[in-house]
Amino acid sequence: MSGGRKRGIRFSKLYSFSCLKSPFSNEHSQIGKKGYSRVVYCNDLDNQEAAQYNYCGNYVSTTKYTAVNFIPKSLFEQFRRVANIYFLVVACVSFSPLAPYSAISVLAPLVVVIGATMAKEAVEDWRRRKQDIEANNRKVKVYDNKSGTVKETRWKKLRVGDLVKVYKDEYFPSDLLLLSSSYEDGICYVETMNLDGETNLKLKHSLDATAPLRDDKSFQNFKAVIKCEDPNEDLYSFVGTLCYDGQELPLSLQQILLRDSKLRNTDYVYGVVVFTGHDTKVMQNATDPPSKRSKIERKMDKIVYILFSTLVLISFIGSFFFGVETKKDFHRGKYRRWYLRPDNTTVFYDPKRASLAAFLHFLTGLLLYGYLIPISLYVSIEMVKVLQSIFINQDQDMYAEETDRPAHARTSNLNEELGQVHTVLSDKTGTLTCNSMEFVKCSIAGTAYGRGMTEVERALTRRKEDRQPEDDFTSEDLPRSTGDGLDSGKSIKGFNFRDERIMNGQWVNLPHSDVIQKFFRVLAICHTAIPDVNKETGEISYEAESPDEASFVIAARELGFEFFERTQTSISLHELDYETGKKVDRSYKLLHILEFSSARKRMSVIVRNEENQLLLLCKGADSVMFERLSEKERLFEAETKEHIKKYAEAGLRTLVVAYREIGVEEYRQWEEEFLMAKTSISEDRDELVDAAADRIEGDLILLGATAVEDKLQKGVPECIEKLSNAQINIWVLTGDKMETAINIGYACSLLRQGMKAIVITLDSPDINALEKQGDKEAIAKASSESVGSQIREGIAQIDSVKESSVTFGLIIDGKSLAFALNKNLEKSFLDLATKCASVICCRSSPKQKALVTRLVKMGTGKTTLSIGDGANDVGMLQEADIGVGISGVEGMQAVMSSDYAIAQFRFLERLLLVHGHWCYRRISMMICYFFYKNIAFGFTLFWFEAYASFSGQPAYNDWYMSFYNVFFTSLPVIALGVFDQDVSARLCLKYPMLYQEGVQNILFSWSRILGWMGNGFISSMIIFFFTSHSTIPQAFRNDGQVVDYEVFGATMYTCVVWAVNCQMALSINYFTWIQHLFIWGSIAFWYIFLVIYGSLSPTVSTTAYRVLVEACAPSPFYWLATVLVVVSTLLPYFAYRAFQTRFRPMYHDIIQIRRSLGSETEASCELPLRVEDKLYHLKERLRPRES
């Protein structure tokens, strides 16, 4: 920014509508009462009264733990899980005589698993702590009263009342009251991206009383007192007063600089610390996002409960038979099993107290069969999800090179949920489109200007002709115009207008050149943009509040009306004079700015030109502008309306441009009324101001209309088409007009050729007539009935063609949506919407977006995904099962509230169809396999106990059992969860119907889960009975010795380790060297462990002492039995998969078979007959589920 601007412009006088409030609002009367009790002594910290307020320091901590509470708090977090509590209880009980194994063998795995999870928590928290340390130790300049200069200190040492000096591009260390800046009138520019995600700069200004304090010396005697609201989370309001120099001055948000926002385009500012540390507004807003759990994770809890029930059941069965057998041991004074010495025993085996012995055996059984519950399940899944997230983050196919933004998984809890999305709810502007506005067309004096075709117009052409004409071209295809600096062909951001009739000054020769001049003059003056002149090149760029506004100013500049300077009271242009054809400098005195708001839908400025004429220049939405036109000055109205309709159909955003000349007396009376309204202290102040503005904005003369294009992002139509082919329902929630939304829908393939449209709208003659009468109750009743009737008609229309392949698209406007979301209509509305392939909700507010998302999520019970890019999308992102933020033009607030962040909408295709499908499949297979291997292992203990008369004796050595889940079977299942692929990424995208395996939850259905559990049960039977019947009856060693307890346990355990790891090898579709290493390495580690552990002293190794080296390894029978049992165990699953693949293949089976047929078939674009048939049946199976 130039120094001239800093000296000459007083922007605090400029924003007359929004900034010049009444001296004291009603809220200021609350000062000193509850909620408004904060008192700050500025630059007077030694004051005794200031010392009595014990405000918190500026040290900030965002960590979850501290060094003191880490262990207790982290342990509490771990033992919130039911399974971990169970294992803790088991570990405690294992110290009692009830335990069938040693306490240390139970405690060690629990310590490993809990310790690993706590270590992960500690690492994550340490990262947060490092960020805190960095922030707390940033440097800031603080004013020192004694020396009269500023001194450097750290953020964490700031105190309430400190006077600080912040320089350009530095962050504010706390919430500050702006006192003055490098600009004479105390304004400064602030970037609030860290707070609200918005990238456009905010203008702040100090009070006039403190603005002159612009250097260190001027603060030597500065003392003041601030009385204001208490700390709160509201970013958009501030109430307080400044007692300074005998005055009480009202404070508003315009004087507050919030922590973590950045000073921009201003050399320095002085400010007083008002809120510090956790009292600042940004920290008050630092709440965790809503906790989301995937459906698979919730179902996993139910499976654990089932296994607990199974554990109790088999413990009861064992104790029952134990009690029966024990009672039989003493009958009529005789001992049946005398060798067990029932006459000299403990309470654990006492025939005379068989019931008590059975109960104690039940408790022993709960400990013994605890291996049914996989102790390492939770920690393994967490590790796998973190690794999956790393692969998502590093996927180069989801990296946007132009913005240098990769995909980012902000949570790993929902990876598998990405593979089950049933409905995608998307914002439009900035999500489907670029939110980079370009001025492309305009209508002036009833004549349309602007060549070329927009993307939507090309889509319209395809719809009409069902083909793309070869000679179609876009506005980019047209050659750049010559003259006025445009001959270079350099692309101009915000301007893509081409029309030789008015470019290069040719408009001066047209019949309505005076209207054209006024039209572009309005665009050059009616705005709040700030010009920024590059000192080196002389080029002017503009800081505007929105991309639309910037495009209008740029368009005016390129067509001969260059806005180059702004002062506190004037706007200056380089204008092309239509009479002389030469450039002249003209200055307009700026009297008032009536700013745009969502309620007003228009913006006006009142200026005085060099001819001393008072002019009101206005631009706004057609819905409010046409009714404000003068009855006598409605020339070109019909033509302009027709052009606006065509622009809307072409997907363009339109504004109407008009003006009027104001008489001196009329202006004097209006200004008096307007100033009275602004200084009013009544509750209806805002209404009075709006009413005054409304009165002057009448009798307008129409000039024309603008049309700007917000282009579709690259790859959006292809992405939506692919998601639709995957049978994912897509809803677009937009604030655009219905015509614009419909045509954008066709352009991005949301609405497709042959799709029938169902339109629900309240734009009918009956409703319009009622609105003119103003009876709100009658309007609401008629509107509700109309919407209900249209919904019923839509459902009937779909049901009438249910058997055909016709698809429907639903379009509903904002007014209708408000009624459709009422309790009496929401169910039927959802019923209609879910029967449609695509849904477009027009004119939707942020709250409606969130309500629609909740309705779809709760009503369908299926997984919903919301995707958006702006602060207005945060509600629906947090409401959906999965929130995806687009890191786009509107800032980072959507990203900060999301679960996953991507740079462009087209990456959603890969995120869902590739990573979503893989993660769903991997997690599903992983959990099923976990339960399979634990059931296969746990039930061998049960069969052995039954074989040993339910004695409670474990079949295996204590450490065999402890290491089963931790070392011998855990790594292969982690490799499955991270690396396995049923088909490649290319085939996932080529056959999007494969995604339906996740939507229909085929791989984690109850039948699938119970099937894996049944496989584990059968495997345990085969392992136990085949091992026992093949080894026990005959000699095992060369010297004729038979199998003893130790050898039998080692042999059966070997078969279990081999069987479950080979089962993993059969289940894996995609082998890498890591899978081979983990699977065969786990088996090899079992033998290594047996050798090392068996070589220890018998007091340590107990039943494992030299069991492999001396007993098992030398016996060929050991190796033969292992091969026989393992092959027999795997045979049922192998036979089932062979049958299923041949006669009942799943979709991924078909693709795998197709891939194995050879490269020639792979390269073909046609699907084999069998695949087409399977696809048809899959779609048919889906229809009843959706209905």
Side-chain angles (χ1 to χ4, degrees):
M1 308 285 279
S2 64
R5 277 184 57 199
K6 294 177 191 177
R7 289 191 299 272
I9 185 168
R10 295 182 67 85
F11 289 103
S12 54
K13 306 294 184 187
L14 199 152
Y15 293 92
S16 59
F17 202 122
S18 63
C19 298
L20 292 182
K21 305 276 185 180
S22 58
F24 284 92
S25 68
N26 289 344
E27 288 176 314
H28 286 83
S29 64
Q30 301 294 318
I31 296 296
K33 298 181 181 178
K34 186 177 179 181
Y36 299 87
S37 60
R38 195 174 186 89
V39 178
V40 178
Y41 289 85
C42 307
N43 201 29
D44 192 15
L45 299 178
D46 297 330
N47 189 308
Q48 290 184 349
E49 292 185 26
Q52 69 180 345
Y53 296 102
N54 191 24
Y55 296 132
C56 70
N58 203 41
Y59 182 87
V60 164
S61 174
T62 60
T63 58
K64 187 176 180 180
Y65 305 103
T66 65
V68 176
N69 71 12
F70 173 72
I71 291 178
K73 192 173 180 180
S74 182
L75 284 173
F76 173 76
E77 289 290 328
Q78 300 311 310
F79 290 110
R80 288 171 68 183
R81 289 172 171 164
V82 179
N84 287 345
I85 293 176
Y86 167 76
F87 286 114
L88 178 64
V89 172
V90 168
C92 294
V93 177
S94 64
F95 287 94
S96 73
L98 286 171
Y101 33 65
S102 64
I104 189 66
S105 65
V106 181
L107 203 56
L110 181 64
V111 169
V112 169
V113 170
I114 298 297
T117 311
M118 288 177 66
K120 172 178 168 284
E121 291 274 322
V123 169
E124 290 179 351
D125 214 50
W126 174 245
R127 287 174 182 163
R128 285 192 286 266
R129 176 156 179 74
K130 281 169 61 177
Q131 292 173 348
D132 291 344
I133 291 172
E134 182 187 346
N136 288 320
N137 287 286
R138 286 177 181 166
K139 304 290 180 63
V140 65
K141 301 284 187 181
V142 178
Y143 184 76
D144 181 25
N145 256 333
K146 295 177 182 178
S147 63
T149 59
V150 292
K151 294 184 178 180
E152 195 174 75
T153 188
R154 300 182 188 278
W155 278 25
K156 63 184 179 183
K157 293 183 179 179
L158 281 184
R159 296 173 296 171
V160 172
D162 273 339
L163 180 62
V164 299
K165 186 177 185 181
V166 180
Y167 292 91
K168 182 179 178 180
D169 292 331
E170 288 184 349
Y171 289 98
F172 299 117
S174 58
D175 290 353
L176 308 176
L177 170 68
L178 175 63
L179 295 177
S180 61
S181 75
S182 55
Y183 292 94
E184 287 181 2
D185 53 354
I187 65 127
C188 70
Y189 296 95
V190 175
E191 181 186 272
T192 59
M193 181 184 287
N194 287 345
L195 302 180
D196 56 17
E198 296 181 9
T199 53
N200 54 303
L201 302 184
K202 310 292 192 302
L203 184 71
K204 301 284 185 177
H205 61 82
S206 66
L207 297 174
D208 288 345
T210 60
L213 307 172
R214 299 181 59 224
D215 55 40
D216 295 351
K217 292 181 181 178
S218 60
F219 285 98
Q220 199 151 11
N221 299 313
F222 174 76
K223 296 285 188 294
V225 178
I226 300 171
K227 297 178 182 179
C228 64
E229 63 188 24
D230 293 336
N232 61 76
E233 72 281 359
D234 191 348
L235 294 172
Y236 304 106
S237 74
F238 179 82
V239 177
T241 60
L242 177 68
C243 303
Y244 172 62
D245 202 18
Q247 303 177 68
E248 276 203 13
L249 307 167
L251 300 175
S252 70
L253 191 65
Q254 290 294 324
Q255 289 84 48
I256 299 300
L257 308 173
L258 300 180
R259 178 187 172 115
D260 280 349
S261 50
K262 183 189 283 189
L263 183 65
R264 296 287 300 274
N265 294 5
T266 311
D267 292 339
Y268 61 85
V269 296
Y270 287 97
V272 172
V273 176
V274 180
F275 297 116
T276 50
H278 290 274
D279 286 346
T280 58
K281 288 185 181 285
V282 66
M283 294 306 298
Q284 292 279 314
N285 277 274
T287 56
D288 292 328
S291 178
K292 297 180 181 181
R293 294 184 72 205
S294 69
K295 291 180 173 60
I296 285 183
E297 194 175 340
R298 289 196 289 267
K299 186 181 274 191
M300 190 171 70
D301 291 342
K302 296 177 183 177
I303 300 171
V304 171
Y305 292 138
I306 290 174
L307 291 180
F308 271 125
S309 304
T310 306
L311 170 62
V312 172
L313 177 63
I314 63 174
S315 298
F316 174 78
I317 293 171
S319 64
F320 175 79
F321 284 106
F322 174 78
V324 171
E325 290 297 313
T326 302
K327 193 170 186 178
K328 288 180 181 178
D329 281 345
F330 184 76
H331 184 63
R332 294 180 182 179
K334 294 181 180 181
Y335 295 107
R336 182 168 63 95
R337 293 185 291 184
W338 53 268
Y339 50 85
L340 295 177
R341 294 300 306 274
D343 58 325
N344 184 22
T345 187
T346 63
V347 69
F348 300 109
Y349 169 61
D350 188 351
K352 296 179 181 178
R353 290 185 291 175
S355 299
L356 179 59
F359 174 74
L360 295 174
H361 185 277
F362 173 74
L363 298 179
T364 301
L366 291 178
L367 303 181
L368 179 63
Y369 306 131
Y371 292 96
L372 286 171
I373 313 297
I375 189 172
S376 59
L377 173 61
Y378 290 105
V379 69
S380 297
I381 288 177
E382 282 188 14
M383 287 174 59
V384 163
K385 287 185 175 182
V386 169
L387 292 170
Q388 288 175 346
S389 298
I390 291 172
F391 283 135
I392 291 174
N393 296 345
Q394 295 184 348
D395 188 343
Q396 293 188 358
D397 289 323
M398 292 198 295
Y399 168 71
E401 190 172 354
E402 54 271 23
T403 56
D404 190 28
R405 283 176 176 155
H408 179 44
R410 302 185 73 252
T411 178
S412 59
N413 296 337
L414 304 172
N415 292 349
E416 66 274 24
E417 203 88 330
L418 289 172
Q420 297 181 278
V421 174
H422 177 266
T423 305
V424 171
L425 301 104
S426 174
D427 174 43
K428 183 189 79 70
T429 303
T431 303
L432 300 178
T433 60
C434 300
N435 198 21
S436 177
M437 307 301 173
E438 291 189 331
F439 187 93
V440 291
K441 296 188 179 186
C442 61
S443 170
I444 308 173
T447 304
Y449 297 99
R451 308 290 192 190
M453 297 180 73
T454 64
E455 293 176 3
V456 175
E457 286 175 311
R458 294 205 305 276
L460 287 168
T461 305
R462 286 196 295 271
R463 283 167 54 200
K464 292 175 182 175
E465 303 181 8
D466 200 23
R467 64 181 178 81
Q468 173 67 29
E470 292 181 7
D471 58 345
D472 259 10
F473 60 96
T474 65
S475 48
E476 291 93 330
D477 300 321
L478 285 161
R480 295 281 176 182
S481 300
T482 58
D484 285 341
L486 298 178
D487 193 31
S488 61
K490 185 178 74 170
S491 176
I492 299 170
K493 184 180 179 182
F495 185 72
N496 203 6
F497 178 88
R498 297 293 171 267
D499 196 318
E500 66 282 353
R501 290 175 293 174
I502 62 173
M503 294 191 72
N504 306 317
Q506 294 301 314
W507 60 266
V508 298
N509 302 317
L510 294 178
H512 294 289
S513 56
D514 57 331
V515 180
I516 296 174
Q517 182 191 49
K518 291 172 183 173
F519 179 88
F520 287 111
R521 187 178 281 162
V522 172
L523 296 188
I525 297 173
C526 185
H527 55 77
T528 57
I530 308 292
D532 188 7
V533 182
N534 188 309
K535 294 179 180 179
E536 296 179 0
T537 64
E539 292 183 357
I540 299 176
S541 59
Y542 301 105
E543 282 283 354
E545 290 187 356
S546 68
D548 308 60
E549 189 164 81
S551 70
F552 295 142
V553 181
I554 291 168
R557 180 190 69 191
E558 297 304 317
L559 291 164
F561 295 81
E562 183 179 42
F563 162 52
F564 70 94
E565 187 182 38
R566 182 169 215 148
T567 70
Q568 61 184 27
T569 57
S570 68
I571 285 181
S572 299
L573 308 181
H574 295 308
E575 282 192 17
L576 183 63
D577 188 271
Y578 74 93
E579 292 178 349
T580 64
K582 295 180 180 179
K583 280 282 185 77
V584 294
D585 286 358
R586 288 178 67 91
S587 181
Y588 297 85
K589 187 175 182 181
L590 188 60
L591 302 176
H592 290 283
I593 296 180
L594 310 181
E595 286 191 323
F596 179 89
S597 72
S598 57
R600 285 167 38 78
K601 296 183 181 179
R602 63 191 181 278
M603 174 196 175
S604 301
V605 296
I606 299 176
V607 296
R608 189 189 300 275
N609 64 13
E610 293 177 351
E611 288 76 27
N612 211 31
Q613 293 175 308
L614 288 168
L615 301 174
L616 181 138
L617 313 179
C618 186
K619 65 184 181 188
D622 58 306
S623 58
V624 297
M625 291 294 287
F626 283 116
E627 64 189 34
R628 283 171 169 73
L629 295 181
S630 168
E631 291 297 328
K632 300 177 182 178
E633 300 290 346
R634 288 180 175 263
L635 295 174
F636 334 118
E637 181 182 3
E639 296 91 335
T640 304
K641 283 184 175 179
E642 183 63 28
H643 292 156
I644 288 174
K645 183 180 178 183
K646 288 182 178 178
Y647 293 155
E649 289 174 352
L652 301 175
R653 295 158 69 110
T654 59
L655 283 180
V656 172
V657 177
Y659 86 107
R660 65 171 289 210
E661 188 174 340
I662 309 172
V664 175
E665 182 61 25
E666 180 190 3
Y667 174 73
R668 187 190 62 77
Q669 292 178 359
W670 173 84
E671 186 178 38
E672 185 178 329
E673 178 188 352
F674 186 61
L675 292 175
M676 283 181 62
K678 285 197 298 181
T679 55
S680 168
I681 58 171
S682 62
E683 292 183 3
D684 59 349
R685 173 188 170 278
D686 290 340
E687 287 77 6
L688 292 173
V689 172
D690 282 348
D694 191 62
R695 270 190 281 282
I696 199 70
E697 292 172 324
D699 292 328
L700 299 176
I701 300 170
L702 178 65
L703 295 174
T706 63
V708 295
E709 181 182 17
D710 188 7
K711 289 195 171 184
L712 287 175
Q713 289 183 15
K714 178 183 176 183
V716 166
E718 294 80 5
C719 175
I720 288 181
E721 187 172 7
K722 194 80 71 166
L723 296 178
S724 299
N725 291 339
Q727 300 290 307
I728 298 173
N729 295 328
I730 302 175
W731 294 36
V732 170
L733 313 175
T734 177
D736 282 336
K737 297 178 189 174
M738 183 173 284
E739 297 87 352
T740 306
I742 289 174
N743 289 297
I744 288 286
Y746 278 108
C748 66
S749 298
L750 185 65
L751 303 175
R752 295 176 293 280
Q753 191 70 27
M755 181 182 282
K756 289 192 175 181
I758 298 173
V759 180
I760 297 178
T761 179
L762 289 175
D763 188 13
S764 65
D766 295 340
I767 302 296
N768 292 338
L770 284 173
E771 286 179 345
K772 288 180 180 178
Q773 295 174 13
D775 188 342
K776 292 185 178 179
E777 288 187 10
I779 294 169
K781 184 178 179 182
S783 298
S784 181
E785 290 175 357
S786 174
V787 171
S789 173
Q790 291 178 72
I791 290 173
R792 288 189 294 273
E793 289 173 10
I795 294 173
Q797 188 178 347
I798 294 174
D799 290 341
S800 65
V801 292
K802 203 170 186 179
E803 302 303 319
S804 69
S805 59
V806 177
T807 56
F808 289 83
L810 174 64
I811 301 100
I812 182 169
D813 63 24
K815 287 183 182 178
S816 304
L817 185 61
F819 291 101
L821 293 174
N822 289 339
K823 290 291 182 184
N824 59 326
L825 287 178
E826 64 176 11
K827 190 175 179 182
S828 55
F829 168 64
L830 181 64
D831 184 30
L832 170 63
T834 51
K835 290 180 178 181
C836 296
S838 302
V839 180
I840 299 177
C841 300
C842 313
R843 297 292 196 191
S844 304
S845 66
K847 185 178 179 181
Q848 283 181 328
K849 290 181 179 182
L851 290 174
V852 169
T853 304
R854 181 186 301 174
L855 175 64
V856 177
K857 181 176 73 172
M858 305 301 292
T860 63
K862 302 286 183 67
T863 303
T864 56
L865 180 148
S866 288
I867 179 168
D869 74 314
N872 62 331
D873 302 318
V874 168
M876 74 172 186
L877 293 185
Q878 294 187 337
E879 189 64 56
D881 294 302
I882 306 169
V884 176
I886 301 280
S887 47
V889 176
E890 288 193 31
M892 300 297 287
Q893 181 136 342
V895 168
M896 291 187 290
S897 304
S898 67
D899 303 303
Y900 297 88
I902 54 178
Q904 294 181 7
F905 183 87
R906 63 190 170 99
F907 296 141
L908 186 65
E909 174 187 348
R910 187 173 178 87
L911 184 67
L912 298 187
L913 301 188
V914 178
H915 290 285
H917 172 71
W918 283 348
C919 290
Y920 164 74
R921 177 180 178 78
R922 290 164 178 169
I923 295 293
S924 300
M925 288 290 296
M926 180 181 174
I927 296 172
C928 287
Y929 177 79
F930 246 109
F931 292 126
Y932 155 78
K933 73 184 181 65
N934 277 62
I935 288 173
F937 177 65
F939 268 93
T940 58
L941 294 167
F942 177 75
W943 304 128
F944 179 80
E945 196 195 2
Y947 188 78
S949 297
F950 295 99
S951 62
Q953 178 70 30
Y956 311 115
N957 180 284
D958 296 354
W959 288 102
Y960 296 178
M961 295 189 288
S962 298
F963 284 1
Y964 177 76
N965 277 317
V966 179
F967 294 114
F968 301 139
T969 60
S970 60
L971 291 179
V973 77
I974 290 174
L976 168 75
V978 176
F979 298 108
D980 193 41
Q981 300 175 13
D982 52 349
V983 297
S984 66
R986 187 177 65 81
L987 292 176
C988 284
L989 297 173
K990 187 174 183 180
Y991 302 113
M993 274 301 292
L994 180 64
Y995 187 79
Q996 278 299 311
E997 288 188 347
V999 178
Q1000 298 182 48
N1001 203 18
I1002 291 173
L1003 301 179
F1004 204 65
S1005 61
W1006 280 112
S1007 59
R1008 181 99 172 171
I1009 295 164
L1010 295 174
W1012 273 100
M1013 288 182 168
N1015 185 27
F1017 182 80
I1018 293 169
S1019 296
S1020 70
M1021 292 181 66
I1022 294 173
I1023 290 170
F1024 175 78
F1025 290 108
F1026 277 40
T1027 304
S1028 60
H1029 283 78
S1030 62
T1031 58
I1032 291 176
Q1034 62 276 316
F1036 185 76
R1037 303 193 194 181
N1038 292 334
D1039 58 5
Q1041 290 188 37
V1042 294
V1043 169
D1044 58 13
Y1045 167 68
E1046 292 87 350
V1047 172
F1048 178 72
T1051 304
M1052 188 160 67
Y1053 194 91
T1054 301
C1055 294
V1056 171
V1057 171
W1058 267 97
V1060 297
N1061 280 292
C1062 289
Q1063 175 70 68
M1064 169 63 69
L1066 283 178
S1067 303
I1068 285 176
N1069 293 283
Y1070 179 72
F1071 269 101
T1072 64
W1073 66 268
I1074 296 176
Q1075 269 109 329
H1076 283 294
L1077 175 65
F1078 284 178
I1079 292 172
W1080 314 123
S1082 296
I1083 296 171
F1085 183 65
W1086 155 243
Y1087 290 111
I1088 294 168
F1089 165 79
L1090 206 52
V1091 171
I1092 296 172
Y1093 181 55
S1095 64
L1096 301 178
S1097 165
T1099 56
V1100 178
S1101 58
T1102 61
T1103 58
Y1105 182 68
R1106 302 186 70 82
V1107 69
L1108 179 66
V1109 176
E1110 292 186 357
C1112 295
S1115 172
F1117 206 83
Y1118 168 78
W1119 302 105
L1120 288 172
T1122 300
V1123 173
L1124 170 67
V1125 174
V1126 171
V1127 170
S1128 303
T1129 304
L1130 299 176
L1131 206 56
Y1133 177 81
F1134 185 81
Y1136 166 75
R1137 280 294 292 146
F1139 174 83
Q1140 184 191 49
T1141 305
R1142 180 69 182 86
F1143 299 106
R1144 296 284 304 277
M1146 288 189 283
Y1147 196 59
H1148 72 268
D1149 293 327
I1150 299 171
I1151 297 174
Q1152 288 173 348
I1153 294 169
R1154 184 181 188 278
R1155 183 181 59 190
S1156 67
L1157 292 177
S1159 58
E1160 185 176 282
T1161 314
E1162 179 74 22
S1164 170
C1165 292
E1166 296 298 322
L1167 287 168
L1169 225 66
R1170 195 163 150 228
V1171 179
E1172 291 284 7
D1173 185 56
K1174 176 65 179 175
L1175 180 60
Y1176 173 77
H1177 287 298
L1178 191 60
K1179 286 181 178 176
E1180 288 302 309
R1181 219 165 55 219
L1182 183 64
R1183 283 180 191 272
R1185 294 192 188 202
E1186 290 189 334
S1187 58

